Structure formats: structure tokens, C-alpha cells
Amino acid sequence: LWPNYGDYDLNDLVVNVRFNRITNAQNKVVDLINVYDVKAVGGTLHNGFAFQLDQVNVGSIQSVTGYQLSGDSYINLASNGLEEGTTKPVIVVWDDADNVINRVGGTFFNTEDNGLIGTSDIVTITVHFNTPQTGNSVGLPPYNHFLIKGKNRGTEIHLSGSAPTS
């Protein structure tokens, strides 16, 4: 319900992420490989999840693979897998967390004390660069991850201190 007051439980989407930077012999980044595992969904909205690389040029990314989009997705991707129409590279992880979780009962996912534990598909996002990038230009994790509220691409909820996408 953000930005409404009183909605500070921060359990709408809980995700474990493993970040990997693959470098070449010159210690330049050739790939980013992020592995996502949903641990809990405590809201009823169908939320997407994405991240922006704030210091990377859009043209320096050759391809993005591994994203999970439904057939009727509200997300528009370019042929290389980046979100279309952005000034900085935006990588969508999924358009709806419900498409990657396996519920076993209950209204929410792993947030109720009912003995039911669901699992998540593992989503592996690979960002491959056209040319190797310096570590400074790629930046450090957690990058600029954000929730796409209720499948409304115009509503983003970012980590504190992170800028919205264009």
C-alpha cells in the first residue's frame, strides 16, 4: 500500500539474491549473473521485480537472459532483453512473483504461521556486455532493485536512496 502510512511491514516481497560478477584476465566485467529465490510474499498484489544498472550505458549490454515474463506481460523488452524506452539499462527479473512461486496453501506465501512452506523457482538472470566493463562502471550489488507495484509499470518501490527509472 506504499506510500500510505502504516504499511511498513516490508513483506510484500522477500527475495534472496546471489550476485556474481564474471571478469576477464584484465579484471573487467564481462557478465553479471544474479540468482533469485523468492522467500515470502506477504501482499495480495501481483508485483513484478526488476533492477537498473545506474552507471552503465544502455548500448554496452549485448544480451539479458533468464527473465520470467507471462504471455500477456505489461513489460516491453528490446531484442537484447532490456526493457525498452529507458535511459539506463533496466533488467526485469519477473513481471509477477506469483509466476515463480509454488504455493502450498494460505492467502500469502511463507508469511503465515500455518505450517505450510512453499518453494520458489530459481530465476537466474545473465547480463552479457558487448565489451568488458570496469568494476566502477558496473557498480556494486545490490544495484538498484525495485518492486513494480501491482503490474503497474509506472509505480516503482525502490530500496532507500535509489533513484526511479526513467
Side-chain angles (χ1 to χ4, degrees):
L1 300 175
W2 177 263
N4 294 331
Y5 288 107
D7 188 36
Y8 300 117
D9 53 0
L10 303 177
N11 71 349
D12 287 352
L13 183 62
V14 179
V15 180
N16 276 353
V17 185
R18 287 191 318 267
F19 301 103
N20 297 294
R21 290 177 11 159
I22 310 304
T23 57
N24 64 13
Q26 291 76 40
N27 202 31
K28 291 195 173 184
V29 181
V30 294
D31 293 305
L32 294 178
I33 301 174
N34 297 346
V35 180
Y36 298 84
D37 180 13
V38 178
K39 292 314 211 183
V41 177
T44 58
L45 295 176
H46 292 264
N47 297 314
F49 194 59
F51 65 99
Q52 177 173 272
L53 295 172
D54 291 333
Q55 300 170 24
V56 173
N57 183 312
V58 171
S60 66
I61 295 178
Q62 181 176 331
S63 63
V64 175
T65 59
Y67 47 83
Q68 300 294 310
L69 301 183
S70 57
D72 62 345
S73 183
Y74 56 95
I75 302 293
N76 296 312
L77 298 181
S79 61
N80 66 353
L82 288 174
E83 186 174 28
E84 285 186 333
T86 59
T87 58
K88 297 178 182 178
V90 174
I91 296 95
V92 176
V93 180
W94 54 72
D95 60 355
D96 184 348
D98 275 13
N99 295 335
V100 298
I101 61 173
N102 306 295
R103 294 180 189 271
V104 291
T107 305
F108 300 122
F109 177 73
N110 296 345
T111 60
E112 298 175 310
D113 188 17
N114 59 9
L116 302 173
I117 306 295
T119 59
S120 167
D121 297 339
I122 302 300
V123 178
T124 302
I125 299 293
T126 301
V127 178
H128 181 69
F129 294 99
N130 287 325
T131 57
Q133 304 291 302
T134 66
N136 286 341
S137 68
V138 173
L140 294 173
Y143 308 114
N144 183 356
H145 279 82
F146 59 95
L147 185 142
I148 302 168
K149 180 184 171 186
K151 295 186 178 184
N152 177 352
R153 188 56 195 93
T155 305
E156 302 174 352
I157 302 171
H158 289 258
L159 295 170
S160 179
S162 296
T165 69
S166 59

